[in-house]
Amino acid sequence: MDYDPHAFPPFAVTVDVVVLTLVDGRLHVVLVKRGVEPFKGDWALPGGFVRVDEDLATAAARELAEETGLGHPAPFLEQFGVYGDPGRDPRMRVISVGYVAVVPRVEEPQGGSDAAESFLAPVDEVDPASLAFDHRHILEDAIDRARTALERSTIATRFCPAEFTVAELREVYEAVWGVELDPGNFQKRVADVDGFLEPTGRHRRGGRGRPPELYRAGPASVIEPPMRRP
Amino acid sequence: MDYDPHAFPPFAVTVDVVVLTLVDGRLHVVLVKRGVEPFKGDWALPGGFVRVDEDLATAAARELAEETGLGHPAPFLEQFGVYGDPGRDPRMRVISVGYVAVVPRVEEPQGGSDAAESFLAPVDEVDPASLAFDHRHILEDAIDRARTALERSTIATRFCPAEFTVAELREVYEAVWGVELDPGNFQKRVADVDGFLEPTGRHRRGGRGRPPELYRAGPASVIEPPMRRP
DNA sequence: ATAATAGTGTCTTTTAGACAATATCAC
DNA sequence: GTGATATTGTCTAAAAGACACTATTAT
């Protein structure tokens, strides 16, 4: 780490944000259409420059808000990787820090103030070849991270609105893991985790069957023992 | 991601490598003594600049070899985080990519060709306050990553020489997790994982009890179901 | 009433853990 | 032999999973 501060190589640093959410029980990701070369017309992850005096996480939150309008409520954001192959950007050496954002179901997709257009795409329908740069890998890694995060951490609740039912939480697990879970066993399992779910005492009316109880996310951040992926 | 390549903010990019190994059944980390300001005289993680045309992982491997001489055999290297707070380096904006390296027990500590001095320190005796920059956090995160990696991945074998006994593998788990494990149950558990251990048929002689069988690391990289940390 | 979903209970299978029993060495 | 460690076996406790059963709504 001994170096001359005036002789460092020229790097640009960006953040790329993989915004995950659930729409109709399917995992979706926010993509923006590139308006300029290179990769003009291709889909890309929202992202951009880190400013000189800006924290990485702050930059991720800012880009998320600017490009997708999903700044409120403050989304869950977690760093999951760095991408720095020489040549990943044809113009210059760029190091990109990958963040996953998990946001509650959005009714009306988006409409960012910054980028031209943004889309919500079902992750299993995204054509990897249509993604700019190495965003195909970044997306893969983010989904991988989300899958394993559901095991030990309580982020699944971040896909849900402030108050939600156990069935909605189960939908999150089913969508992210791509499996079906037994409703009864799932219910007992999550109820057993201290601080995962906080009952509100109220119920959701209007559905077809017995009205389910509404829960809030509890204070726990860790699920112990971890949920097992079938 | 639309930008003018000539107007990017000036960033320096470094890699910091957390080299973990086992000495006498205790987890150790390689530290180097800083010879220049800032933090002159403090301990730091080996690391340095990423070159303009160099891959991040390549840079990590190169710094590891240069500063500690631990280039052969090619060590296990995994990226685990990025550290980019403005102000983490008092001289300029530096983004550092953290890598964990896991190397087999080294008999004679090191003697790098590059850095002044390098030490092998037991991780539980490292005084966090004595570490330069934010290396205290980087070290913590690396150990955390190692702990969880032992659950699902087979990296534990990377702490061992080419041929090793089940007791040596158990020592790895005990040292990294900081727990004691039942020898009998551990033996059965790891033997049950397909591709984790490959018997050599030979045994280690000269010890005090029944000569243990020698194993090689098998082809599996994933432990399914994961090992459970007590 | 019927269909649908929520939530509980019961039983079976699997897995983890405690710990005894046996094996094979150095001394 | 004794003491040490490796390895296997046995039993028990805990967890996961299949699935039946009850609860409560809309229609």
Side-chain angles (χ1 to χ4, degrees):
Chain A
M1 277 277 267
D2 308 334
Y3 55 86
D4 170 4
H6 298 292
F8 62 87
F11 283 87
V13 177
T14 62
V15 289
D16 286 314
V17 185
V18 179
V19 186
L20 299 178
T21 196
L22 231 61
V23 181
D24 298 329
R26 294 175 70 195
L27 187 62
H28 284 60
V29 60
V30 173
L31 297 176
V32 299
K33 190 154 259 176
R34 282 187 60 79
V36 299
E37 292 296 346
F39 301 102
K40 183 171 179 176
D42 284 358
W43 285 6
L45 298 167
F49 266 123
V50 177
R51 296 180 182 161
V52 191
D53 284 311
E54 188 180 43
D55 209 302
L56 298 175
T58 307
R62 178 180 49 76
E63 288 293 342
L64 177 62
E66 284 180 9
E67 296 207 44
T68 70
L70 293 170
H72 293 281
F76 171 87
L77 262 179
E78 189 182 56
Q79 182 196 107
F80 66 88
V82 204
Y83 301 84
D85 279 2
R88 62 179 290 277
D89 187 312
R91 292 161 299 181
M92 62 173 305
R93 185 74 194 268
V94 178
I95 300 290
S96 188
V97 182
Y99 277 82
V100 215
V102 174
V103 302
R105 208 177 356 202
V106 275
E107 300 308 335
E108 171 219 346
Q110 24 276 148
S113 55
D114 188 10
E117 315 167 65
S118 67
F119 304 89
L120 257 187
V123 293
D124 50 10
E125 284 179 12
V126 174
D127 173 15
S130 71
L131 293 180
F133 305 103
D134 52 1
H135 288 188
R136 157 230 254 279
H137 297 297
I138 300 182
L139 177 58
E140 269 173 19
D141 291 352
I143 293 170
D144 230 68
R145 167 65 64 104
R147 276 198 244 271
T148 69
L150 287 199
E151 298 179 33
R152 302 192 74 91
S153 102
T154 56
I155 23 141
T157 58
R158 301 306 203 101
F159 283 94
C160 302
E163 300 196 340
F164 55 90
T165 68
V166 172
E168 287 167 346
L169 187 67
R170 177 163 45 84
E171 259 195 348
V172 174
Y173 277 88
E174 293 180 328
V176 177
W177 283 353
V179 298
E180 290 218 335
L181 300 174
D182 180 276
N185 292 336
F186 182 84
Q187 180 118 11
K188 282 178 293 182
R189 182 63 173 84
V190 296
D192 263 1
V193 181
D194 276 358
F196 194 3
L197 300 186
E198 269 185 358
T200 64
R202 281 173 300 102
H203 296 259
R204 166 162 303 159
R205 317 325 238 37
R208 261 193 295 287
R210 168 175 170 179
E213 180 155 12
L214 286 167
Y215 293 86
R216 267 187 300 273
S221 61
V222 176
I223 298 175
E224 186 55 40
M227 304 282 280
R228 280 204 49 189
R229 194 178 342 176
Chain B
M1 277 277 266
D2 308 335
Y3 54 84
D4 170 4
H6 299 291
F8 62 86
F11 282 88
V13 177
T14 62
V15 290
D16 285 314
V17 186
V18 178
V19 187
L20 299 177
T21 195
L22 231 61
V23 180
D24 297 330
R26 295 176 68 197
L27 188 62
H28 284 60
V29 60
V30 174
L31 298 177
V32 299
K33 189 153 259 177
R34 283 187 60 79
V36 299
E37 292 295 345
F39 300 103
K40 181 170 177 176
D42 284 358
W43 286 5
L45 297 167
F49 266 124
V50 177
R51 297 181 181 159
V52 191
D53 283 314
E54 188 181 43
D55 209 302
L56 297 176
T58 307
R62 178 179 52 73
E63 289 292 342
L64 177 63
E66 284 179 10
E67 296 206 44
T68 70
L70 293 170
H72 295 281
F76 172 87
L77 264 179
E78 190 182 54
Q79 184 196 289
F80 66 88
V82 206
Y83 301 83
D85 278 2
R88 61 179 291 276
D89 187 313
R91 292 162 300 183
M92 63 173 305
R93 185 75 195 266
V94 178
I95 300 290
S96 187
V97 183
Y99 277 84
V100 215
V102 174
V103 302
R105 205 178 357 202
V106 276
E107 299 308 335
E108 172 219 346
Q110 25 275 150
S113 55
D114 189 10
E117 315 165 66
S118 68
F119 304 88
L120 257 187
V123 292
D124 49 10
E125 285 180 12
V126 174
D127 172 16
S130 71
L131 294 180
F133 305 103
D134 52 1
H135 288 188
R136 158 230 255 281
H137 297 297
I138 301 182
L139 177 57
E140 267 172 20
D141 291 353
I143 293 171
D144 229 68
R145 167 66 64 104
R147 276 198 243 272
T148 69
L150 288 198
E151 298 179 31
R152 303 192 74 92
S153 102
T154 56
I155 23 138
T157 58
R158 300 309 201 97
F159 282 95
C160 301
E163 300 196 341
F164 55 90
T165 67
V166 172
E168 286 168 345
L169 188 67
R170 177 163 44 83
E171 258 194 350
V172 173
Y173 277 88
E174 292 180 330
V176 177
W177 284 353
V179 297
E180 289 219 336
L181 300 173
D182 180 275
N185 292 335
F186 183 84
Q187 181 119 10
K188 282 177 294 185
R189 183 61 174 85
V190 296
D192 264 2
V193 181
D194 278 356
F196 194 4
L197 300 184
E198 269 184 357
T200 64
R202 281 172 302 102
H203 296 259
R204 165 162 304 158
R205 319 321 242 35
R208 259 193 296 286
R210 169 174 169 179
E213 180 156 10
L214 287 166
Y215 293 86
R216 267 188 300 273
S221 61
V222 176
I223 298 175
E224 186 55 40
M227 304 282 280
R228 279 205 50 189
R229 196 179 339 176

Short mmCIF file of all heavy atoms in Angstrom, two decimals, chain B residues 5-41:
data_model
loop_
_atom_site.label_atom_id
_atom_site.label_comp_id
_atom_site.label_asym_id
_atom_site.label_seq_id
_atom_site.Cartn_x
_atom_site.Cartn_y
_atom_site.Cartn_z
N PRO B 5 -16.01 9.93 -20.82
CA PRO B 5 -14.84 9.23 -20.31
C PRO B 5 -13.73 10.16 -19.85
O PRO B 5 -12.83 9.76 -19.13
CB PRO B 5 -14.37 8.39 -21.50
CG PRO B 5 -15.51 8.32 -22.42
CD PRO B 5 -16.34 9.55 -22.19
N HIS B 6 -13.78 11.40 -20.25
CA HIS B 6 -12.69 12.30 -19.85
C HIS B 6 -13.04 13.13 -18.64
O HIS B 6 -12.24 13.94 -18.19
CB HIS B 6 -12.31 13.20 -21.03
CG HIS B 6 -11.83 12.41 -22.20
ND1 HIS B 6 -10.64 11.74 -22.21
CD2 HIS B 6 -12.41 12.15 -23.40
CE1 HIS B 6 -10.48 11.10 -23.37
NE2 HIS B 6 -11.56 11.33 -24.10
N ALA B 7 -14.23 12.92 -18.12
CA ALA B 7 -14.67 13.75 -17.00
C ALA B 7 -14.92 12.94 -15.74
O ALA B 7 -15.62 13.36 -14.86
CB ALA B 7 -15.95 14.50 -17.38
N PHE B 8 -14.32 11.76 -15.65
CA PHE B 8 -14.59 10.94 -14.47
C PHE B 8 -13.80 11.46 -13.27
O PHE B 8 -12.73 12.02 -13.43
CB PHE B 8 -14.23 9.50 -14.76
CG PHE B 8 -12.79 9.30 -15.07
CD1 PHE B 8 -11.87 9.11 -14.04
CD2 PHE B 8 -12.34 9.34 -16.39
CE1 PHE B 8 -10.53 8.94 -14.33
CE2 PHE B 8 -10.99 9.17 -16.66
CZ PHE B 8 -10.08 8.98 -15.63
N PRO B 9 -14.33 11.23 -12.09
CA PRO B 9 -13.61 11.65 -10.88
C PRO B 9 -12.39 10.74 -10.67
O PRO B 9 -12.41 9.59 -11.08
CB PRO B 9 -14.64 11.43 -9.77
CG PRO B 9 -15.93 11.16 -10.43
CD PRO B 9 -15.62 10.63 -11.80
N PRO B 10 -11.37 11.26 -10.03
CA PRO B 10 -10.14 10.50 -9.86
C PRO B 10 -10.21 9.51 -8.71
O PRO B 10 -10.27 9.90 -7.55
CB PRO B 10 -9.11 11.59 -9.56
CG PRO B 10 -9.89 12.70 -8.95
CD PRO B 10 -11.30 12.60 -9.46
N PHE B 11 -10.21 8.25 -9.04
CA PHE B 11 -10.22 7.20 -8.03
C PHE B 11 -8.95 6.36 -8.16
O PHE B 11 -8.46 6.14 -9.27
CB PHE B 11 -11.40 6.25 -8.24
CG PHE B 11 -12.70 6.79 -7.74
CD1 PHE B 11 -13.50 7.57 -8.56
CD2 PHE B 11 -13.13 6.50 -6.46
CE1 PHE B 11 -14.72 8.06 -8.11
CE2 PHE B 11 -14.34 6.99 -6.01
CZ PHE B 11 -15.14 7.78 -6.82
N ALA B 12 -8.46 5.90 -7.03
CA ALA B 12 -7.43 4.87 -7.06
C ALA B 12 -8.09 3.57 -6.62
O ALA B 12 -9.00 3.58 -5.79
CB ALA B 12 -6.29 5.22 -6.12
N VAL B 13 -7.66 2.47 -7.17
CA VAL B 13 -8.23 1.17 -6.82
C VAL B 13 -7.12 0.25 -6.31
O VAL B 13 -6.10 0.08 -6.97
CB VAL B 13 -8.95 0.52 -8.02
CG1 VAL B 13 -9.46 -0.85 -7.65
CG2 VAL B 13 -10.09 1.42 -8.48
N THR B 14 -7.36 -0.31 -5.15
CA THR B 14 -6.38 -1.24 -4.58
C THR B 14 -7.07 -2.56 -4.26
O THR B 14 -8.30 -2.66 -4.26
CB THR B 14 -5.77 -0.69 -3.27
OG1 THR B 14 -6.81 -0.53 -2.30
CG2 THR B 14 -5.10 0.66 -3.51
N VAL B 15 -6.27 -3.57 -3.99
CA VAL B 15 -6.79 -4.81 -3.41
C VAL B 15 -6.12 -5.00 -2.06
O VAL B 15 -4.96 -4.66 -1.88
CB VAL B 15 -6.51 -6.05 -4.29
CG1 VAL B 15 -7.34 -6.02 -5.55
CG2 VAL B 15 -5.04 -6.17 -4.63
N ASP B 16 -6.88 -5.51 -1.10
CA ASP B 16 -6.31 -5.89 0.19
C ASP B 16 -6.62 -7.36 0.37
O ASP B 16 -7.76 -7.80 0.13
CB ASP B 16 -6.92 -5.06 1.32
CG ASP B 16 -6.36 -3.64 1.33
OD1 ASP B 16 -5.14 -3.49 1.21
OD2 ASP B 16 -7.15 -2.69 1.45
N VAL B 17 -5.62 -8.12 0.80
CA VAL B 17 -5.78 -9.56 0.88
C VAL B 17 -5.70 -10.02 2.34
O VAL B 17 -4.73 -9.73 3.04
CB VAL B 17 -4.70 -10.29 0.05
CG1 VAL B 17 -4.98 -11.79 0.04
CG2 VAL B 17 -4.65 -9.74 -1.36
N VAL B 18 -6.73 -10.70 2.76
CA VAL B 18 -6.73 -11.28 4.10
C VAL B 18 -6.31 -12.73 3.96
O VAL B 18 -7.08 -13.57 3.49
CB VAL B 18 -8.13 -11.17 4.75
CG1 VAL B 18 -8.12 -11.81 6.13
CG2 VAL B 18 -8.57 -9.71 4.82
N VAL B 19 -5.07 -13.01 4.32
CA VAL B 19 -4.53 -14.35 4.16
C VAL B 19 -4.75 -15.11 5.45
O VAL B 19 -4.21 -14.76 6.50
CB VAL B 19 -3.03 -14.33 3.85
CG1 VAL B 19 -2.55 -15.74 3.53
CG2 VAL B 19 -2.74 -13.38 2.70
N LEU B 20 -5.56 -16.14 5.38
CA LEU B 20 -5.87 -16.94 6.57
C LEU B 20 -5.18 -18.28 6.50
O LEU B 20 -5.08 -18.90 5.44
CB LEU B 20 -7.39 -17.14 6.69
CG LEU B 20 -8.23 -15.87 6.83
CD1 LEU B 20 -9.72 -16.22 6.87
CD2 LEU B 20 -7.83 -15.09 8.08
N THR B 21 -4.69 -18.72 7.63
CA THR B 21 -4.09 -20.05 7.70
C THR B 21 -4.16 -20.54 9.13
O THR B 21 -4.52 -19.79 10.04
CB THR B 21 -2.64 -20.03 7.18
OG1 THR B 21 -2.21 -21.36 6.94
CG2 THR B 21 -1.71 -19.37 8.17
N LEU B 22 -3.83 -21.82 9.30
CA LEU B 22 -3.90 -22.41 10.63
C LEU B 22 -2.48 -22.68 11.14
O LEU B 22 -1.66 -23.26 10.44
CB LEU B 22 -4.68 -23.72 10.57
CG LEU B 22 -5.82 -23.88 11.58
CD1 LEU B 22 -6.84 -22.80 11.37
CD2 LEU B 22 -6.43 -25.25 11.44
N VAL B 23 -2.21 -22.25 12.34
CA VAL B 23 -0.94 -22.59 12.98
C VAL B 23 -1.26 -23.15 14.36
O VAL B 23 -1.93 -22.48 15.16
CB VAL B 23 -0.03 -21.35 13.12
CG1 VAL B 23 1.29 -21.75 13.79
CG2 VAL B 23 0.23 -20.70 11.78
N ASP B 24 -0.82 -24.38 14.60
CA ASP B 24 -1.10 -25.03 15.88
C ASP B 24 -2.57 -24.99 16.24
O ASP B 24 -2.93 -24.70 17.39
CB ASP B 24 -0.28 -24.37 17.00
CG ASP B 24 1.22 -24.51 16.77
OD1 ASP B 24 1.62 -25.53 16.17
OD2 ASP B 24 1.97 -23.62 17.19
N GLY B 25 -3.40 -25.23 15.27
CA GLY B 25 -4.83 -25.27 15.53
C GLY B 25 -5.49 -23.93 15.80
O GLY B 25 -6.64 -23.88 16.23
N ARG B 26 -4.76 -22.86 15.52
CA ARG B 26 -5.37 -21.54 15.71
C ARG B 26 -5.36 -20.76 14.41
O ARG B 26 -4.39 -20.83 13.63
CB ARG B 26 -4.63 -20.75 16.79
CG ARG B 26 -4.73 -21.38 18.17
CD ARG B 26 -3.90 -20.61 19.18
NE ARG B 26 -4.43 -19.28 19.45
CZ ARG B 26 -3.72 -18.30 20.02
NH1 ARG B 26 -2.46 -18.51 20.36
NH2 ARG B 26 -4.27 -17.12 20.25
N LEU B 27 -6.42 -20.00 14.19
CA LEU B 27 -6.54 -19.22 12.97
C LEU B 27 -5.60 -18.01 13.02
O LEU B 27 -5.59 -17.26 13.99
CB LEU B 27 -7.99 -18.75 12.82
CG LEU B 27 -8.35 -18.06 11.50
CD1 LEU B 27 -8.17 -19.01 10.32
CD2 LEU B 27 -9.78 -17.55 11.54
N HIS B 28 -4.80 -17.87 11.98
CA HIS B 28 -3.86 -16.76 11.89
C HIS B 28 -4.10 -15.94 10.63
O HIS B 28 -4.66 -16.44 9.66
CB HIS B 28 -2.42 -17.29 11.85
CG HIS B 28 -1.91 -17.74 13.18
ND1 HIS B 28 -2.50 -18.76 13.90
CD2 HIS B 28 -0.84 -17.34 13.94
CE1 HIS B 28 -1.83 -18.96 15.04
NE2 HIS B 28 -0.82 -18.10 15.08
N VAL B 29 -3.63 -14.70 10.68
CA VAL B 29 -3.75 -13.83 9.51
C VAL B 29 -2.39 -13.19 9.25
O VAL B 29 -1.64 -12.92 10.18
CB VAL B 29 -4.84 -12.75 9.73
CG1 VAL B 29 -4.50 -11.87 10.93
CG2 VAL B 29 -5.02 -11.88 8.49
N VAL B 30 -2.09 -12.97 7.99
CA VAL B 30 -0.83 -12.33 7.63
C VAL B 30 -0.99 -10.81 7.69
O VAL B 30 -1.92 -10.26 7.10
CB VAL B 30 -0.37 -12.74 6.21
CG1 VAL B 30 0.87 -11.95 5.81
CG2 VAL B 30 -0.09 -14.23 6.14
N LEU B 31 -0.10 -10.17 8.42
CA LEU B 31 -0.09 -8.72 8.49
C LEU B 31 1.30 -8.22 8.09
O LEU B 31 2.29 -8.91 8.26
CB LEU B 31 -0.41 -8.25 9.91
CG LEU B 31 -1.79 -8.63 10.45
CD1 LEU B 31 -1.94 -8.18 11.90
CD2 LEU B 31 -2.89 -8.02 9.59
N VAL B 32 1.34 -7.03 7.55
CA VAL B 32 2.63 -6.43 7.22
C VAL B 32 2.76 -5.13 7.99
O VAL B 32 1.76 -4.47 8.31
CB VAL B 32 2.77 -6.16 5.70
CG1 VAL B 32 2.67 -7.45 4.91
CG2 VAL B 32 1.73 -5.17 5.22
N LYS B 33 3.99 -4.78 8.29
CA LYS B 33 4.22 -3.55 9.05
C LYS B 33 4.42 -2.41 8.05
O LYS B 33 5.24 -2.51 7.14
CB LYS B 33 5.44 -3.70 9.97
CG LYS B 33 5.59 -2.54 10.93
CD LYS B 33 6.31 -2.95 12.22
CE LYS B 33 5.34 -3.18 13.36
NZ LYS B 33 5.97 -3.64 14.60
N ARG B 34 3.67 -1.33 8.27
CA ARG B 34 3.79 -0.21 7.34
C ARG B 34 5.07 0.57 7.59
O ARG B 34 5.37 0.96 8.72
CB ARG B 34 2.59 0.73 7.48
CG ARG B 34 1.34 0.19 6.82
CD ARG B 34 0.23 1.21 6.82
NE ARG B 34 0.57 2.43 6.13
CZ ARG B 34 0.54 2.59 4.81
NH1 ARG B 34 0.22 1.57 4.05
NH2 ARG B 34 0.86 3.75 4.27
N GLY B 35 5.79 0.84 6.49
CA GLY B 35 7.05 1.54 6.63
C GLY B 35 6.95 3.04 6.35
O GLY B 35 7.91 3.77 6.55
N VAL B 36 5.79 3.47 5.87
CA VAL B 36 5.64 4.89 5.52
C VAL B 36 4.35 5.45 6.09
O VAL B 36 3.45 4.71 6.49
CB VAL B 36 5.62 5.08 3.98
CG1 VAL B 36 6.93 4.59 3.38
CG2 VAL B 36 4.43 4.35 3.38
N GLU B 37 4.28 6.75 6.13
CA GLU B 37 3.05 7.42 6.55
C GLU B 37 2.03 7.28 5.45
O GLU B 37 2.40 7.13 4.28
CB GLU B 37 3.33 8.91 6.83
CG GLU B 37 4.20 9.15 8.04
CD GLU B 37 3.56 8.72 9.35
OE1 GLU B 37 2.33 8.50 9.37
OE2 GLU B 37 4.29 8.57 10.33
N PRO B 38 0.72 7.35 5.70
CA PRO B 38 0.18 7.40 7.05
C PRO B 38 0.17 6.01 7.70
O PRO B 38 0.38 5.03 7.02
CB PRO B 38 -1.25 7.88 6.81
CG PRO B 38 -1.59 7.34 5.48
CD PRO B 38 -0.32 7.31 4.69
N PHE B 39 -0.09 6.01 8.98
CA PHE B 39 -0.14 4.75 9.75
C PHE B 39 1.22 4.05 9.79
O PHE B 39 1.27 2.84 9.90
CB PHE B 39 -1.21 3.81 9.18
CG PHE B 39 -2.60 4.38 9.21
CD1 PHE B 39 -3.20 4.87 8.05
CD2 PHE B 39 -3.32 4.44 10.40
CE1 PHE B 39 -4.49 5.39 8.07
CE2 PHE B 39 -4.60 4.95 10.42
CZ PHE B 39 -5.18 5.43 9.26
N LYS B 40 2.29 4.84 9.65
CA LYS B 40 3.63 4.24 9.70
C LYS B 40 3.81 3.47 11.01
O LYS B 40 3.49 3.98 12.08
CB LYS B 40 4.69 5.32 9.57
CG LYS B 40 6.12 4.77 9.58
CD LYS B 40 7.13 5.84 9.21
CE LYS B 40 8.55 5.27 9.29
NZ LYS B 40 9.56 6.25 8.85
N GLY B 41 4.32 2.26 10.89
CA GLY B 41 4.55 1.43 12.07
C GLY B 41 3.35 0.58 12.46
O GLY B 41 3.47 -0.35 13.23
#
